[in-house]
Amino acid sequence: MCGIVGYAGSRQAAPVLLNGLEKLEYRGYDSAGVCVHNDGGLNAVKAKGRLSVLRDRLEGGSALPGTVGIGHTRWATHGAPSDINSHPHLSWTGKIAVVHNGIIENEARLRAKMLRKGATFQSETDTEVVANMVGYYYEKHGDFVTAVRETVMRLEGSFALGILCQDMPGTIVAVKKDSPLIFGFGEGEHFVASDVPAILKYTQTVAYLEDGDMAVFDAENVVFYDSTGEIVEKKQEKITWEMSAAERGGYDHFMIKEIFEQPKALRDTISPRLRDGQVNLDGIELSAEYLKNLRKIYLVACGSAYYVSVLAKYIIEKTCRIPTEAMMASEFRYCDPVVDERNLVIFVSQSGETADTLAALREAKRRGAQTLAIVNVVGSAIAKAADQVIYTWAGPEIAVATTKAFSTQLSVVYLLAMQMAKTLGTMSTGEYLSLVEGLEQLPYDMDRLLSPKALEKCQYLASRYHAHHDAFYIGRNIDSGICLEGSLKLKEIAYLHSEAYPAGELKHGPISLIEDGTLVVALATIEPLFDKTMANIKEVKARGADVLCVTLEELEENAAAIADSTIAIPKIHPLLQPSLSIIPLQLFSYYVALYRGCDVDKPRNLAKSVTVE
Ligand code: F6R
């Protein structure tokens, strides 16, 4: 959600900024802009729409010469997408330019104050308020860094800011709170960006800025300050993954690439934690005494990560016999949850930056709960804020719709549940070993579902069902959790209205919406509940629905006698089954989106990292 990038060096800044912004496109945006220092002035070019519009306006960068600049992709919050509302924003004095990721919550009050001071505004954005404040304090104190400090101390909300000052041609000031910002060290050049891919082409050496940190830099030098204004050293870290991990390779879309990366991502996440037939979550301390005294485990997250949490409820309750509840972070943070030191609260997040999840984490900590985060992005805010963290090793996930992060989050849930169950003695040795074996085998089982034949089947089914207007995903028990994720995939990338319900719930309302041509995707992978789900399929078929049933290979014949079409998946340990069921559902959504002509990797209105509430 919004991306910022800043460059100071000897190259032409505009092409570097455009390249960086392109790598941040995945975060979601609706307009973009850059500002470069040249001829003693600040020159900004901005454009509503895709980066290609900005690129054309900049003639690939050559229209804006200069070696120091800032750039931005905007996801509209304050004011509609437009050239004027796009960043960078200049102060009314013309001396300050600002790019901003985040939301300034006291924007209205600050805007009124700046108007009283004589500032004028062109846009509806909260960011222009920041530009005008820095402009005002710069006039007052005559010092750029002091002006930024004076401004930042008055801001409420979240921000990662990149700021230029007309009178300091080589210098950029960057500062952050609750929005991600990394600093890149090059040879005679420095960078700031919202995420690593933006600068990886130029450097693999980075430092992660903490809340309140400020970097004041030019091509040769950088000084870091902490929130108290003290000069601090920042640890330089090497990025271990290559640029190719954040590129499409030979694939048409990031999403399909990432679907294919799932077996590897699972191996990377599981293998280091399964040694000699034992789960070993290094450094995670959950003693038997602590676990036995727990009143309840909460899992708190948003979107697909919340659906992992819903699945986790089934998995943890079954294996550990501890009451477990999944909650959406946006609800948890405001519902006055019954949470104290007798609760373990687990936060699930790919980006580690999701605003609601981060706020919920702080709320849980404030109430005295022990917190544990399952996170993909190393060093992210949620990873840092939680008491303990387990990383998913999915690698960078670029497509807005999550696939491999979802699968690795689920695999961590299995590992965690098994470790807790072993500590508590709630799982038999036989069951434990069979889960270990199943987990080791899982990447190979996934490979089978990604064979050319399997893809062809999903593509065929998508060609058959893509023109439907409404879809319902139904299933029972743990299948109903996977329905939630399958349904979300379809609606978010294919823009097809879709809902998910536990199959037994149909008769209590939603069945009234089933009519000729409604698509029903039924999950029936739980043998003891197979007949029940078949009965539900008959009910919707009787009302005109077209039914696609995902079931086990050995049950396919029975399912095919009732449903219109089937997808069969191999039978594995019942608790692990969701890890396989999701694969054809991801593929189905992907192909439906293609048939419907949708922008698969960048679905409308969505952002990859939701860093605002
Ligand atoms: C859906 C999707 C989103 C995210 C949600 C949480 O495909 O990707 O629903 O799961 O926005 O994001 P993270 O995991 O970064 O906290």
Side-chain angles (χ1 to χ4, degrees):
M1 198 168 246
C2 297
I4 75 170
V5 55
Y7 174 75
S10 54
R11 302 172 204 249
Q12 284 301 301
V16 176
L17 298 172
L18 282 171
N19 189 280
L21 293 179
E22 194 180 296
K23 298 290 180 286
L24 296 176
E25 273 188 301
Y26 76 90
R27 297 171 70 84
Y29 74 104
D30 40 48
S31 49
V34 297
C35 181
V36 171
H37 212 297
N38 83 20
D39 284 342
L42 297 173
N43 297 303
V45 176
K46 327 197 268 187
K48 176 186 164 186
R50 290 287 179 212
L51 260 184
S52 54
V53 184
L54 179 68
R55 198 180 281 284
D56 288 349
R57 265 185 208 180
L58 286 169
E59 292 160 26
S62 60
L64 215 48
T67 57
V68 178
I70 51 179
H72 189 263
T73 45
R74 173 174 187 254
W75 191 89
T77 54
H78 293 63
S82 69
D83 286 3
I84 284 186
N85 285 332
S86 307
H87 304 206
H89 287 286
L90 267 72
S91 62
W92 90 106
T93 59
K95 289 191 179 168
I96 300 293
V98 175
V99 288
H100 166 218
N101 171 20
I103 284 204
I104 306 303
E105 287 168 4
N106 55 341
E107 174 265 337
R109 229 178 323 125
L110 295 174
R111 179 182 281 259
K113 186 171 159 190
M114 290 318 301
L115 283 168
R116 285 198 299 275
K117 303 274 183 205
T120 54
F121 287 83
Q122 315 286 323
S123 77
E124 299 155 82
T125 65
D126 50 345
T127 305
E128 195 180 5
V129 175
V130 178
N132 275 339
M133 287 177 74
V134 180
Y136 169 76
Y137 287 111
Y138 182 65
E139 295 303 315
K140 188 167 170 189
H141 300 290
D143 181 70
F144 182 24
V145 174
T146 307
V148 175
R149 228 176 243 133
E150 288 274 331
T151 302
V152 162
M153 60 193 271
R154 290 172 171 83
L155 301 180
E156 288 167 19
S158 58
F159 51 83
L161 297 165
I163 312 174
L164 295 175
C165 175
Q166 180 183 277
D167 301 336
M168 293 187 72
T171 302
I172 300 179
V173 175
V175 59
K176 75 146 250 161
K177 180 184 158 260
D178 287 345
S179 291
L181 197 60
I182 53 148
F183 189 86
F185 301 86
E187 290 285 317
E189 56 187 358
H190 288 128
F191 307 80
V192 276
S194 299
D195 199 2
V196 174
I199 60 171
L200 203 52
K201 182 172 170 192
Y202 310 102
T203 180
Q204 286 184 295
T205 310
V206 304
Y208 294 93
L209 298 197
E210 309 275 340
D211 278 353
D213 281 355
M214 179 191 280
V216 180
F217 66 98
D218 56 25
E220 298 295 337
N221 302 299
V222 54
V223 182
F224 295 107
Y225 299 91
D226 69 10
S227 55
T228 66
E230 289 290 309
I231 292 182
V232 283
E233 286 291 313
K234 296 299 301 179
K235 192 170 148 225
Q236 296 194 10
E237 306 199 22
K238 273 262 171 261
I239 299 298
T240 49
W241 44 274
E242 299 288 324
M243 197 58 220
S244 60
E247 281 172 352
R248 267 196 287 127
Y251 291 91
D252 289 342
H253 298 97
F254 278 108
M255 184 178 174
I256 190 74
K257 175 177 180 248
E258 288 162 5
I259 288 175
F260 270 92
E261 283 172 349
Q262 288 179 107
K264 178 181 181 304
L266 239 70
R267 266 184 209 107
D268 291 348
T269 304
I270 295 171
S271 307
R273 282 128 175 186
L274 267 189
R275 271 174 249 138
D276 306 323
Q278 300 289 325
V279 174
N280 187 345
L281 289 171
D282 264 343
I284 298 300
E285 284 183 25
L286 297 168
S287 69
E289 196 197 346
Y290 170 73
L291 290 172
K292 278 190 180 131
N293 287 322
L294 280 181
R295 262 191 325 191
K296 195 188 222 184
I297 295 175
Y298 282 97
L299 287 110
V300 179
C302 303
S304 294
Y306 166 71
Y307 297 149
V308 169
S309 307
V310 171
L311 291 162
K313 171 189 165 64
Y314 288 98
I315 296 160
I316 294 173
E317 288 194 339
K318 183 88 183 154
T319 52
C320 306
R321 309 311 293 162
I322 302 174
T324 301
E325 185 175 341
M327 277 198 82
M328 290 176 189
S330 53
E331 288 300 310
F332 182 91
R333 61 184 290 195
Y334 295 123
C335 78
D336 192 9
V338 187
V339 165
D340 59 24
E341 64 288 350
R342 289 164 298 168
N343 294 103
L344 170 63
V345 189
I346 301 172
F347 295 87
V348 188
S349 176
Q350 187 285 126
S351 62
E353 302 290 345
T354 303
D356 280 323
T357 311
L358 184 58
L361 195 163
R362 290 184 176 142
E363 182 60 26
K365 283 184 89 165
R366 202 181 61 76
R367 289 169 187 257
Q370 161 99 251
T371 58
L372 189 158
I374 299 174
V375 175
N376 195 41
V377 177
V378 176
S380 53
I382 291 171
K384 281 187 180 156
D387 298 316
Q388 308 196 63
V389 57
I390 309 176
Y391 284 110
T392 49
W393 297 118
E397 191 178 61
I398 307 293
V400 167
T402 182
T403 51
K404 61 176 180 169
F406 174 89
S407 290
T408 52
Q409 286 163 354
L410 189 54
S411 71
V412 167
V413 167
Y414 292 130
L415 294 167
L416 184 62
M418 287 164 71
Q419 174 152 320
M420 292 195 298
K422 179 124 197 260
T423 308
L424 285 164
T426 48
M427 192 188 275
S428 72
T429 311
E431 177 73 349
Y432 185 84
L433 291 178
S434 122
L435 274 169
V436 167
E437 215 173 279
L439 273 178
E440 282 171 340
Q441 184 58 32
L442 205 46
Y444 301 95
D445 295 325
M446 272 188 176
D447 275 332
R448 283 181 59 194
L449 294 175
L450 293 167
S451 69
K453 206 168 145 223
L455 261 63
E456 216 174 274
K457 177 91 185 258
C458 291
Q459 192 166 6
Y460 160 71
L461 291 168
S463 74
R464 191 165 159 185
Y465 295 124
H466 72 274
H468 284 55
H469 290 290
D470 300 288
F472 285 80
Y473 282 66
I474 59 167
R476 286 168 180 267
N477 195 269
I478 206 161
D479 276 347
S480 69
I482 234 39
C483 285
L484 293 165
E485 175 60 6
S487 169
L488 180 66
K489 286 278 99 57
L490 191 68
K491 78 180 119 201
E492 66 183 338
I493 63 165
Y495 313 149
L496 200 157
H497 167 242
S498 175
E499 297 185 33
Y501 281 95
E505 188 65 11
L506 264 190
K507 280 202 267 302
H508 300 283
I511 202 163
S512 65
L513 290 170
I514 306 286
E515 57 188 10
D516 267 348
T518 307
L519 173 63
V520 173
V521 180
L523 272 274
T525 73
I526 303 165
E527 272 177 301
L529 298 176
F530 180 78
D531 290 340
K532 303 259 179 223
T533 307
M534 290 306 115
N536 294 124
I537 294 180
K538 283 181 191 157
E539 286 161 5
V540 294
K541 275 217 59 75
R543 287 154 181 88
D546 292 326
V547 180
L548 161 60
C549 179
V550 179
T551 188
L552 303 179
E553 281 161 350
E554 46 265 72
L555 298 172
E556 188 180 18
E557 209 180 310
N558 293 349
I562 302 167
D564 298 282
S565 41
T566 54
I567 295 177
I569 60 173
K571 177 178 168 179
I572 57 171
H573 190 292
L575 279 182
L576 304 179
Q577 206 69 58
S579 291
L580 290 192
S581 326
I582 192 59
I583 306 282
L585 300 186
Q586 293 168 342
L587 288 169
F588 178 68
S589 301
Y590 173 73
Y591 289 119
V592 170
L594 291 189
Y595 278 113
R596 291 167 73 92
C598 301
D599 187 349
V600 174
D601 283 339
K602 295 191 265 322
R604 66 186 179 205
N605 306 335
L606 293 179
K608 181 73 182 159
S609 281
V610 185
T611 50
V612 297
E613 193 176 347

